[in-house]
Amino acid sequence: MTAASLPRATPGRTGSSLATVLRLAVRDLRGGLSGFWIFLACIALGVTAITGVGSVADGLAEGLAVQGRTILGGDASFSRVGALLSPEETALISARGRTSTIGEVRAMARRADGNATLIDIKAADASYPLVGSVTLDPPQPLAAALDKGPDGLFGIAADATIAVRLESKIGDILDIGTGRFVLRATLRQEPDKLAGGIALGPRVLMSADGLRAAGLAGPGSLVRWTTRVELAKADAAPVGDADLTRFVDTAKAAFPQAGWDIRTRRNVSPEFDRNLGRFTQFLTLVGLTSLVIGGVGVANAVRATVERKRASLAILKSLGAPGGLVFAISLTQVLAVAAVGILAGLAAGAALPFVILALFGQYIPFPLDPSVYPRELLQGALYGFLTTLAFSLGALGRAHDIPVSALFRDQIDPDQTRLRRRYQIYVGLAVAALIGTVFLFTPDWRLSAIYMGATLVAFGLLRLVALALMRLARALPHPRRMETRLALGNIHRPGALTPSVVLSLGLGLALLVTLTLIDVNIRRQIADAGTGDVPSFFFADIPSDQQDAFKQFVTTHAPGVSVAAVPMMRGRIVALRGVPVAQIKPKPGSAFALEGDRGITTSDVVPDGSTLTSGAWWPVGYSGPPLVSFDKGLAEGLGIGLGDTISVNVLGRTVTAKIASLRQIEWEKLGINFFMVFSPNTFAGAPHSDLATATFAKGGGDAPEVALLKAVAGAYPTVTAIRVKDVLQTLDHLVGQLALAIRGASGVAIVASILVLAGALAAGRRARVYDAVVLKVLGATRRRLLASLLIEYAILGGATALFGILAGGGAAYFIVTRVMDFGFTLAWGPAIGAALSALVLTVVLGLAGTWRILGEKPASFLRAS
């Protein structure tokens, strides 16, 4: 901006028109965006993160909704463990359209040489699938692959991983349960695969007759029977959501005690929807953190702009322009630049689902339906706009009262004018609006409050760290070495970069350490669960009349192994204190207990791994009204306690029991334990199977565990053996995928920290050049200047890294112990590794940003000054 471009001042004028403000702002921006690139990058990065995460989540939710009918296998499904639908229930459902029934159960597949593996069976009737298609290799009709052949054996189609686990190929004969099956095809596509949940073994598709021939569907078995229906109208018109809802309500009213788990095409997986919402919320907060960190870059850029244009601002004010005009012009420029960054971020975020689908669509196990989502665009734009205001208004407002003389000597005598009250109000309103927006777009108010509180505390602590560091540097006695003396002076001098560097790196590093320690503790929890005195196997579907024989068999073939067995059934909670679960609003972490079937057992004694916290256990041989012992933490989440009643539907029969005691359960020991343990008389005479664990004294090993697996698979073909080590490996893989996504999101915040740090260094370039030139005139060499900068950045990086370890460790401890309910270990290695990386990053970027400064020639700079 030049003097010739300025409007003629009017004496006594106290305001300026909007047109004048816009004209001057546009004229000034014609010179380019010098000094605003970091600003642009910070805003664009944060908006991209928030918009992209929301768009991908919406794409997944929309894909699930659009393909819900295919994933579910129909318009509605009715499932129950252990019992098929009754003829009356089937008649009601089949009257509305075509139906198909499948049975799902885990079992063992064995080769002739004794090798065995856990498999997930889906037994289908002739109508399967109602929607979609099954793809087999080699191509053939599904019925032909599963029906009984000329050799009298049923066929199966299996996931390709079964070939790896059993070294089998097409045409091989496998033993499953008490039956023999021919592997006729590899299962390439299964339309309703997602509806089956997490698979612990290869999927095996067989016919319903094949399941019965395998002896896996007897009384007490844990087969989940699901009947799907494809609704149809008399006029063949599509069945709308309203008709679907009426149909489900009619079925519930007709059979209130059925104990069904009902799903529709609109809520294929409530658990997936809820987890997707939580994960999206978490990643959005991570994206917001990157935007807040970027806000520090905005503040630095605005301060640097005011400092860089002090001559133009001085001329403008000397011509009679009021402080309000200076503020308005600068704010207009800032908002214009922010608009460019916001638009770039919105474009990148909106494109993210399309990019992910194009590059990784074949690897994503969930349906992704990319589109442009206005709500996510609005959210990203609003966050970007409010962040810009919150972090720029203070810096812009200070220019209002800076006199011309102070602007000219700001380099050596920075002005300390207090921010006017009205600008303080503006900043407060912008911050309040930003906080309100977080609550508006985040459904979990508790999480939002924790996040905002933690952010404000982090800002305050980082500010205190910076001030303490500056005060300490000022209070220390002057070192004899010039390099150290210069470094300490740079830390506490007026206009020092200390607050910006500490704040920008501190937030990003604290987030990185938090996520690293959470990941380490989750993985350690999984690893520790597979060591020590914990079970090596879970054995399910043991016939109740063979429990003693089974225990004897295991201890004979694996001497020293301890075996524990309990009866096991599956039941669905239908009411608490007489109130139907549909009317219960549990805490978020406890809602899972009211969805689907839960394992239940009976016992005369307190199970191992459980400690009574209140109430009393029933006496041996108790014969009074049904009693139940409940998990203490889950009871608190569901809002129930001692003396309350709980109603559970088991095999289509509802039983109501009173809570007699609450227990603290040590789940990490992986022993046999259940949320609900009933008095034995509650289910006397009900068909059931037993669940057993086998624990090697010193953790076992591959050889003895495999030997026991082969022995049990051969002697008890209908018993399902679940090896704990294999399950933990599956969980570790899932955790790894989740951690990768979280690290990717947190990487955005780290990049924002780097950008802010670069911006802070750029903002202080003029002061650095001034210092370097003066020191060179006084005889300082480049080596000495470089050494002083190295010491300065090492001190700043070390202090910030220490804060990151402490703050990140504290946050990780809270999340792991309070939210995840795990034990916490401070992993010094990963934490220190992150701290050292921050230290190296600070030093490298600091030196890179000042290398050219050290090469400035004093003569050219002095002539320009």
Side-chain angles (χ1 to χ4, degrees):
M1 184 181 294
T2 64
S5 66
L6 297 174
R8 188 175 301 275
T10 302
R13 188 175 178 181
T14 58
S16 299
S17 67
L18 178 60
T20 301
V21 171
L22 292 176
R23 185 171 67 253
L24 291 175
V26 170
R27 284 181 181 180
D28 197 28
L29 286 175
R30 288 175 182 173
L33 297 177
S34 176
F36 281 113
W37 292 111
I38 300 295
F39 178 171
L40 272 172
C42 289
I43 292 297
L45 190 65
V47 173
T48 297
I50 291 174
T51 306
V53 167
S55 296
V56 171
D58 283 354
L60 288 172
E62 190 65 24
L64 198 66
V66 171
Q67 301 185 36
R69 194 163 175 267
T70 301
I71 296 173
L72 185 67
D75 292 303
S77 70
F78 301 79
S79 62
R80 192 163 55 205
V81 175
L84 283 161
L85 269 62
S86 68
E88 295 78 14
E89 294 167 344
T90 302
L92 174 69
I93 296 172
S94 59
R96 292 298 309 273
R98 293 194 310 129
T99 62
S100 173
T101 298
I102 63 169
E104 296 172 291
V105 67
R106 291 191 172 101
M108 304 300 295
R110 310 179 304 281
R111 285 194 345 175
D113 61 3
N115 284 337
T117 186
L118 179 69
I119 59 175
D120 283 82
I121 295 176
K122 177 183 288 182
D125 62 11
S127 300
Y128 175 84
L130 290 177
V131 183
S133 60
V134 174
T135 302
L136 303 178
D137 184 18
Q140 56 190 294
L142 181 61
L146 305 185
D147 284 349
K148 185 181 292 186
D151 54 4
L153 300 180
F154 285 99
I156 58 173
D159 187 82
T161 55
I162 200 170
V164 178
R165 297 198 180 190
L166 290 180
E167 298 180 356
S168 57
K169 61 183 182 301
I170 302 300
D172 284 356
I173 296 177
L174 301 178
D175 293 327
I176 301 175
T178 57
R180 308 192 75 198
F181 297 83
V182 180
L183 180 58
R184 293 193 180 133
T186 299
L187 185 58
R188 297 297 184 190
Q189 178 179 329
E190 183 186 358
D192 54 343
K193 183 177 181 178
L194 288 180
I198 298 176
L200 297 182
R203 168 71 74 196
V204 171
L205 190 59
M206 64 173 59
S207 66
D209 290 336
L211 181 67
R212 284 185 280 270
L216 300 174
S221 66
L222 298 180
V223 180
R224 173 176 290 277
W225 296 102
T226 301
T227 297
R228 284 93 171 259
V229 57
E230 183 183 25
L231 299 179
K233 287 186 176 182
D235 57 0
V239 176
D241 291 343
D243 292 329
L244 177 60
T245 300
R246 282 193 293 271
F247 166 69
V248 171
D249 291 341
T250 299
K252 290 179 179 179
F255 300 98
Q257 303 298 321
W260 289 330
D261 179 13
I262 302 177
R263 294 283 184 266
T264 70
R265 65 189 183 215
R266 299 301 300 178
N267 67 332
V268 174
S269 177
E271 184 67 21
F272 175 80
D273 290 341
R274 185 168 56 254
N275 288 336
L276 177 61
R278 290 174 181 170
F279 190 56
T280 301
Q281 184 179 8
F282 172 75
L283 292 185
T284 299
L285 292 180
V286 172
L288 185 59
T289 301
S290 69
L291 196 56
V292 170
I293 293 173
V296 181
V298 171
N300 290 338
V302 173
R303 281 195 296 268
T305 299
V306 172
E307 193 275 340
R308 188 177 66 253
K309 295 183 177 182
R310 67 189 189 280
S312 297
L313 295 175
I315 294 172
L316 185 62
K317 298 187 77 173
S318 69
L319 293 176
L325 176 63
V326 174
F327 172 79
I329 294 173
S330 301
L331 179 60
T332 302
Q333 292 175 340
V334 166
L335 292 180
V337 175
V340 175
I342 290 172
L343 289 176
L346 293 179
L352 188 60
F354 297 92
V355 174
I356 290 178
L357 184 63
L359 297 179
F360 309 106
Q362 58 181 327
Y363 306 110
I364 300 176
F366 306 107
L368 177 61
D369 185 23
S371 183
V372 177
Y373 300 98
R375 182 180 183 276
E376 306 306 332
L377 297 180
L378 173 63
Q379 180 177 345
L382 194 55
Y383 275 134
F385 174 73
L386 292 176
T387 300
T388 301
L389 288 179
F391 285 90
S392 66
L393 287 175
L396 292 174
R398 292 189 181 278
H400 185 111
D401 291 317
I402 298 177
V404 173
S405 58
L407 285 171
F408 278 117
R409 66 172 183 265
D410 186 59
Q411 185 167 298
I412 59 175
D413 184 20
D415 183 78
Q416 301 297 324
T417 304
R418 183 178 180 84
L419 188 64
R420 284 190 173 220
R421 177 63 61 86
R422 67 175 178 180
Y423 295 119
Q424 293 179 15
I425 294 175
Y426 292 163
V427 173
L429 291 176
V431 172
L434 181 59
I435 295 175
T437 303
V438 173
F439 283 97
L440 175 65
F441 287 111
T442 308
D444 189 342
W445 283 41
R446 179 174 174 269
L447 180 61
S448 298
I450 293 175
Y451 171 79
M452 296 309 305
T455 301
L456 293 175
V457 169
F459 265 85
L461 289 177
L462 285 169
R463 182 65 177 175
L464 292 176
V465 169
L467 292 176
L469 196 60
M470 296 172 70
R471 179 167 294 183
L472 179 62
R474 186 182 300 112
L476 287 175
H478 287 187
R480 297 184 61 183
R481 288 190 60 192
M482 187 197 75
E483 294 88 345
T484 306
R485 190 162 61 250
L486 287 176
L488 293 177
N490 285 335
I491 290 175
H492 69 76
R493 68 176 185 174
L497 298 178
T498 303
S500 296
V501 172
V502 170
L503 186 59
S504 60
L505 269 184
L507 287 175
L509 180 58
L511 176 64
L512 178 63
V513 172
T514 299
L515 297 178
T516 299
L517 291 179
I518 290 174
D519 180 36
V520 167
N521 276 274
I522 291 177
R523 290 180 178 275
R524 179 165 294 176
Q525 183 76 15
I526 293 175
D528 291 346
T531 60
D533 203 20
V534 298
S536 299
F537 285 97
F538 280 86
F539 296 102
D541 293 319
I542 303 171
S544 57
D545 59 351
Q546 298 182 30
Q547 182 188 119
D548 294 337
F550 180 82
K551 288 183 178 179
Q552 181 65 37
F553 178 87
V554 172
T555 54
T556 299
H557 284 78
V561 169
S562 60
V563 182
V566 297
M568 179 178 177
M569 291 170 282
R570 302 288 293 184
R572 181 180 178 86
I573 300 176
V574 295
L576 299 175
R577 299 190 305 274
V579 180
V581 295
Q583 302 176 24
I584 301 293
K585 292 184 178 180
K587 293 181 179 179
S590 304
F592 74 93
L594 306 182
E595 299 173 352
D597 299 298
R598 306 259 72 85
I600 59 176
T601 189
T602 62
S603 177
D604 272 326
V605 296
V606 180
D608 291 337
S610 289
T611 304
L612 284 183
T613 59
S614 59
W617 205 262
W618 43 85
V620 176
Y622 173 78
S623 59
L627 299 175
V628 62
S629 178
F630 212 79
D631 175 67
K632 177 179 180 291
L634 186 58
E636 292 175 353
L638 297 178
I640 55 178
L642 289 178
D644 290 335
T645 60
I646 178 171
S647 299
V648 180
N649 188 283
V650 179
L651 298 175
R653 184 170 68 95
T654 299
V655 175
T656 299
K658 185 174 71 172
I659 298 177
S661 63
L662 297 176
R663 292 168 294 132
Q664 186 72 41
I665 303 176
E666 300 177 56
W667 296 106
E668 64 274 10
K669 291 187 176 180
L670 298 182
I672 300 180
N673 249 308
F674 297 81
F675 290 120
M676 297 176 284
V677 179
F678 289 83
S679 56
N681 65 314
T682 305
F683 300 105
H688 67 274
S689 58
D690 286 351
L691 175 70
T693 59
T695 306
F696 285 82
K698 296 183 179 180
D702 286 340
E705 288 182 4
V706 171
L708 179 59
L709 177 64
K710 289 182 178 181
V712 171
Y716 292 89
T718 61
V719 172
T720 301
I722 302 175
R723 194 182 183 196
V724 172
K725 185 179 296 183
D726 294 337
V727 175
L728 294 178
Q729 288 176 350
T730 300
L731 293 177
D732 186 63
H733 177 67
L734 293 174
V735 170
Q737 292 179 321
L738 185 64
L740 181 62
I742 293 176
R743 285 171 182 165
S746 63
V748 175
I750 302 303
V751 172
S753 295
I754 296 174
L755 287 173
V756 173
L757 177 60
L761 296 175
R765 185 180 185 279
R766 183 178 180 85
R768 294 290 187 181
V769 171
Y770 182 89
D771 291 343
V773 167
V774 171
L775 291 171
K776 281 188 174 184
V777 170
L778 295 176
T781 63
R782 176 182 290 193
R783 183 186 64 80
R784 285 195 164 187
L785 294 176
L786 187 63
S788 70
L789 292 174
L790 183 65
I791 295 172
E792 175 190 350
Y793 295 138
I795 294 173
L796 292 179
T800 307
L802 180 61
F803 170 83
I805 292 176
L806 296 177
Y813 173 81
F814 176 82
I815 294 173
V816 170
T817 58
R818 299 295 179 86
V819 178
M820 298 180 175
D821 200 22
F822 289 165
F824 179 80
T825 301
L826 179 59
W828 288 105
I832 293 176
L836 288 178
S837 67
L839 180 61
V840 172
L841 180 67
T842 306
V843 173
V844 170
L845 286 179
L847 294 180
T850 53
W851 182 256
R852 290 181 58 191
I853 293 174
L854 299 179
E856 290 282 351
K857 302 295 183 183
S860 60
F861 181 80
L862 292 175
R863 282 196 302 267
S865 299

